[in-house]
Amino acid sequence: MNQPISPSVRGPVDHDIRDQIVAAANEHFSQYGYGKTTVSDLAKAIGFSKAYIYKFFDSKQAIGEAICKNCLAQIVAAVEQAINVEGLSPTERFRRMVKTLMVTGADLFFNDRKLYDIAAFSASERWPSSQVYNARIKDFVLQIVREGRELGEFERRTPLDETVDAIHLALQPFVNPLLLQYNLDRIEDAPTLTSNLILRSLMP
């Protein structure tokens, strides 16, 4: 059993303890689900008092936020890697963005359902981690559409913000963790169908 370290210790030690709490919560949520796990459960699992955990996180949601942030960051990182390849056209970047978003999200759902439930819960409750994730996806769309317009690959008649908002909205069934679970049966053909439809609307 781990022994608590004095809260008066600061710096790297605090960071290590936070990581330890998050790791224990990650394991517990994966086994029992977010809703069925209490802070008391986490305290017992890592040998800390509940009061001690509250010195690092002010609620169970704050712990869930840390996990959700890490989880959604994996999807963002996968998209960045997929689209930031030298020599790709905006059309190719767009297709890769859509496919990576959908496939990575679906993988998360199938491989770690309990953690996916946290992501879905965060979307329904509009947690900051979910809002940041949503904004990052919209930034990807903006980046690609803007580049496509500059290169003459996409149309320029529609206001840029309107185009980005419309595309972002169209992607929600496969991007929003709360909605993805209802669209998994189309995950194989959805990236191609969705990309084709949106890209046709972007033609000059």
Side-chain angles (χ1 to χ4, degrees), residues 7-171:
S8 63
V9 179
R10 301 299 177 186
V13 173
D14 280 353
H15 184 74
D16 289 345
I17 295 173
R18 286 178 62 89
D19 287 347
Q20 190 175 350
I21 294 171
V22 169
N26 201 340
E27 183 177 342
H28 241 75
F29 293 156
S30 294
Q31 277 191 287
Y32 307 108
Y34 176 79
K36 294 182 179 180
T37 300
T38 66
V39 175
S40 295
D41 293 331
L42 300 179
K44 291 177 183 177
I46 56 181
F48 290 168
S49 70
K50 185 167 69 170
Y52 188 72
I53 289 179
Y54 279 130
K55 292 180 181 297
F56 297 89
F57 296 95
D58 58 12
S59 64
K60 185 177 79 169
Q61 178 181 327
I63 301 173
E65 276 275 27
I67 295 172
C68 187
K69 181 180 177 181
N70 293 338
C71 178
L72 296 176
Q74 294 177 34
I75 300 177
V76 170
V79 173
E80 288 180 328
Q81 183 176 10
I83 67 175
N84 292 331
V85 176
E86 190 174 351
L88 292 180
S89 69
T91 294
E92 291 169 326
R93 291 186 199 280
F94 186 82
R95 289 189 182 280
R96 289 171 68 97
M97 176 194 72
V98 173
K99 183 176 182 178
T100 303
L101 278 170
M102 294 184 183
V103 171
T104 307
D107 284 346
L108 175 65
F109 186 94
F110 283 118
N111 294 332
D112 209 333
R113 178 58 193 263
K114 296 298 185 182
L115 292 185
Y116 183 88
D117 287 346
I118 299 178
F121 188 82
S122 76
S124 68
E125 296 296 314
R126 300 178 66 84
W127 285 3
S129 54
S130 177
Q131 297 302 299
V132 169
Y133 168 72
N134 210 33
R136 290 291 288 121
I137 302 307
K138 194 170 185 178
D139 284 343
F140 288 138
V141 174
L142 173 61
Q143 171 189 331
I144 294 171
V145 172
R146 180 179 286 155
E147 180 187 21
R149 289 187 171 203
E150 292 172 351
L151 296 177
E153 200 168 315
F154 298 158
E155 64 90 11
R156 304 181 186 180
R157 298 181 303 279
T158 310
L160 179 61
D161 59 346
E162 182 180 323
T163 298
V164 172
D165 283 344
I167 294 173
H168 187 240
L169 183 61
L171 295 176

